Amino acid sequence: MFSKYKKSDAKPKAERAPVEIIDNVTELPEQKPKTSMRKALKPAAAAPVDKEVKRKQRMSDIKLELHRALLDNLNLAALEHATEQDLRQEINEISAEILAEKAIVLNREDRMTLNSELYDEVTGLGPLETLLKDETVNDILVNGPQQIFVERDGKLELTDITFKDERHLLRIIDKIVSAVGRRVDESNPYVDARLQDGSRFNAMVPPVAVDGSLVSIRKFKKDKLGIDDLVNFGAFTEEMAAYLQAAVATRLNVIVSGGTGSGKTTTLNALSSFIDNAERILTIEDTAELQLQQTHVGRMESRPANVEGKGEVSPRDCLKNALRMRPDRIIVGETRGEEVIDMLQAMNTGHDGSMTTIHANSARDGVSRLENMIAMAGIEMPLKAVRSQISSAVNLIVQASRLQDGSRRMTSITEITGMEGDVISMQEIFRYQRVGLTPDNKIIGHFTATGVRSHYAERFRMWGYDLPASIYEPMAAE
């Protein structure tokens, strides 16, 4: 009946005793009613909530049973060459036969939903597939099998999507990491990986994860945000964009600083659009996320050690090799370790215009973090020599922040102008000025120049970017 997609040695299903019809979930006499662990919003709604919970639980049980039956019947090797339409039809037919065997009757909507979920289980990532297809979702955060959060517009929301149990969640995790040649288990309880669409994936499993496996997915955006998009979204102003274009085009070395989820990679992507198409660019990342549009781009991705502790390719290894590949610019997705010294040396030795990101809460904190990373790399250098190296290598620090209302702003653009004694001298050119909070907790503020003229204004002019003096004038709140 099921042609080439069904296993030739699939065993016939033994007949089982019929069960009650599940259409809209009529109550099964042998099951005790289950109560929801969540507080009902209204006391009167308690009974329907119980019924809905029981309905979802029963549908989950049916889906799990059907999925096992599908794996027993489907020829998985043949499925690699099957079209989506053929596979969906095959799943629909097999599930219809199994439901008939078990005397389970579902309404049309539930049957369509069930078949769609079965398709995701066989070919995709099960319950996560729906969230991965949702364009409004930026992050997916799994705290055990029964709790899945998403981030929309900078705010976290609890979804009603769940896994059947911990084994179901672990099976999906294993499916993801095995696809990229990695593994996760008790001896190696955490892993970084990349989904097929480029989304960043991190997982931590028991016993390290106490209440069930923890998963975080930073979704890869197919349509990258450009400078114009960020200006329209209010991330910064036209004047700031004009300044940044001049800074990148005249090959200033730029560091994008910010906290987790503040938009550092998005900002770095947008800034890279100002690089001339004739330049050779090499990118180095732990997980390839940058989407550069230039013609001459070489992408590198570091690799962790295998189970035997061998085969590691660190960002520093990639960076050392990149220096031998005649790059005009080097872009490091994130500097977080001993590769910092090689990055600074590259910025100082003929690779002007290089860029990277770091985790820091302000420009001054960013400089301190660079100093700490150099110290942690075990390099014996006097503090003044370290600061001299930083001040001559880094020209500009762009601070990205995610504010308390979930909005992302470029809160500061700061230039490093040299050394004054033992201290790195800096001057802020633009900042985001907060002035208050609306009743619905939206931040009120505006971007303004500080009134300080750029230290690199003459450099801009020599390269053909003669910015008007008006962009450095402080702007009043609208």
Side-chain angles (χ1 to χ4, degrees):
M1 177 180 177
F2 303 123
S3 66
K4 60 184 177 182
Y5 302 117
K6 189 173 182 181
K7 290 181 180 177
S8 58
D9 59 345
K11 297 179 181 179
K13 300 291 181 182
E15 292 189 3
R16 299 185 184 181
V19 299
E20 297 285 341
I21 293 176
I22 311 300
D23 189 7
N24 290 327
V25 187
T26 54
E27 296 198 6
L28 302 179
E30 70 274 17
Q31 290 186 335
K32 295 183 180 180
K34 298 180 180 179
T35 57
S36 173
M37 297 299 291
R38 295 171 291 176
K39 292 181 180 179
L41 295 177
K42 298 178 181 178
V49 168
D50 280 351
K51 189 172 182 179
E52 180 63 20
V53 169
K54 180 159 59 174
R55 177 181 179 280
K56 287 183 178 180
Q57 181 64 41
R58 182 58 180 147
M59 288 296 292
S60 179
D61 292 340
I62 293 172
K63 185 177 77 171
L64 182 63
E65 200 165 347
L66 285 177
H67 183 245
R68 289 171 179 164
L70 282 170
L71 294 180
D72 290 338
N73 283 272
L74 287 171
N75 183 351
L76 298 180
L79 292 182
E80 294 180 3
H81 308 289
T83 65
E84 179 180 344
Q85 182 179 355
D86 289 343
L87 180 54
R88 285 188 182 276
Q89 182 178 351
E90 200 71 26
I91 289 174
N92 292 350
E93 292 177 357
I94 294 177
S95 66
E97 181 184 87
I98 297 170
L99 288 173
E101 282 182 5
K102 299 178 180 299
I104 297 174
V105 179
L106 299 177
N107 62 32
R108 178 181 175 82
E109 182 182 352
D110 284 345
R111 186 185 291 269
M112 290 177 63
T113 302
L114 183 63
N115 288 336
S116 178
E117 291 176 352
L118 286 171
Y119 178 82
D120 290 339
E121 288 285 347
V122 173
T123 64
L125 303 181
L128 298 179
E129 199 68 30
T130 303
L131 300 176
L132 288 170
K133 293 175 182 176
D134 189 341
E135 295 293 335
T136 65
V137 172
N138 298 320
D139 289 87
I140 303 170
L141 307 168
V142 181
N143 300 338
Q146 302 301 316
Q147 198 177 63
I148 301 178
F149 286 86
V150 297
E151 183 198 283
R152 286 189 177 93
D153 299 324
K155 294 289 187 180
L156 291 178
E157 302 174 8
L158 178 64
T159 70
D160 59 357
I161 297 173
T162 60
F163 290 87
K164 168 65 179 173
D165 50 29
E166 179 66 17
R167 289 180 60 190
H168 185 195
L169 175 54
L170 286 172
R171 181 163 54 80
I172 296 299
I173 293 173
D174 187 63
K175 188 174 185 179
I176 293 170
V177 300
S178 60
V180 292
R182 299 182 184 178
R183 58 177 291 181
V184 59
D185 50 34
E186 289 188 6
S187 61
N188 184 40
Y190 54 89
V191 66
D192 275 309
R194 178 163 42 89
L195 304 186
Q196 288 184 346
D197 67 352
S199 298
R200 185 197 306 171
F201 174 88
N202 177 271
M204 184 171 283
V205 302
V208 177
V210 178
D211 298 319
S213 298
L214 301 174
V215 174
S216 62
I217 299 175
R218 173 67 55 81
K219 284 181 62 178
F220 180 85
K221 290 192 178 294
K222 298 178 180 63
D223 300 323
K224 74 181 187 73
L225 297 176
I227 289 291
D228 291 338
D229 297 316
L230 294 177
V231 170
N232 293 335
F233 292 154
F236 48 87
T237 63
E238 286 281 2
E239 291 79 8
M240 296 166 73
Y243 172 86
L244 291 170
Q245 180 178 13
V248 174
T250 59
R251 302 177 67 87
L252 295 185
N253 294 318
V254 180
I255 288 181
V256 180
S257 167
T260 301
S262 60
K264 297 188 300 298
T265 302
T266 300
T267 302
L268 193 61
N269 253 327
L271 294 180
S272 70
S273 65
F274 295 133
I275 299 175
D276 191 275
N277 201 42
E279 297 183 47
R280 173 170 168 78
I281 308 166
L282 297 180
T283 68
I284 300 166
E285 301 174 83
D286 285 331
T287 304
E289 292 181 285
L290 293 172
Q291 304 173 65
L292 274 63
Q293 303 302 305
Q294 285 76 9
T295 304
H296 203 160
V297 178
R299 305 171 73 203
M300 287 177 270
E301 191 175 69
S302 62
R303 186 179 69 185
N306 60 19
V307 180
E308 290 79 25
K310 300 178 181 178
E312 179 184 10
V313 180
S314 69
R316 189 174 190 181
D317 295 330
C318 293
L319 188 51
K320 285 180 177 179
N321 196 69
L323 296 173
R324 304 185 182 101
M325 299 172 71
R326 198 236 169 259
D328 290 310
R329 301 188 193 229
I330 297 174
I331 299 179
V332 179
E334 182 179 342
T335 301
R336 62 161 67 92
E338 59 183 10
E339 70 274 9
V340 63
I341 191 65
D342 297 282
M343 185 70 204
L344 293 175
Q345 287 176 346
M347 289 177 168
N348 261 331
T349 55
H351 301 94
D352 293 341
S354 295
M355 295 188 279
T356 187
T357 72
I358 59 173
H359 275 81
N361 294 323
S362 68
R364 183 62 69 178
D365 285 347
V367 170
S368 298
R369 182 153 165 74
L370 290 174
E371 295 174 5
N372 292 338
M373 284 190 284
I374 292 173
M376 288 188 293
I379 298 168
E380 298 289 339
M381 288 177 65
L383 182 58
K384 185 173 182 178
V386 170
R387 289 178 175 174
S388 177
Q389 178 87 348
I390 293 172
S391 67
S392 60
V394 181
N395 303 121
L396 196 66
I397 298 180
V398 176
Q399 183 69 34
S401 301
R402 182 170 64 173
L403 307 182
Q404 67 195 60
D405 62 354
S407 60
R408 293 172 173 86
R409 299 281 187 271
M410 190 178 290
T411 53
S412 174
I413 298 178
T414 304
E415 295 177 346
I416 294 181
T417 59
M419 292 276 291
E420 292 182 3
D422 291 345
V423 180
I424 296 175
S425 58
M426 306 167 70
Q427 62 181 24
E428 191 174 41
I429 307 300
F430 298 94
R431 70 162 66 103
Y432 181 71
Q433 189 73 47
R434 292 178 53 170
V435 296
L437 202 64
T438 65
D440 57 347
N441 290 324
K442 295 290 184 182
I443 290 175
I444 303 171
H446 66 281
F447 294 98
T448 180
T450 60
V452 178
R453 186 171 181 267
S454 173
H455 178 73
Y456 302 102
E458 184 62 21
R459 180 186 180 111
F460 296 163
R461 190 185 65 79
M462 294 293 290
W463 285 64
Y465 291 88
D466 195 4
L467 300 179
S470 59
I471 75 166
Y472 302 118
E473 296 175 0
M475 291 166 276
E478 296 181 357

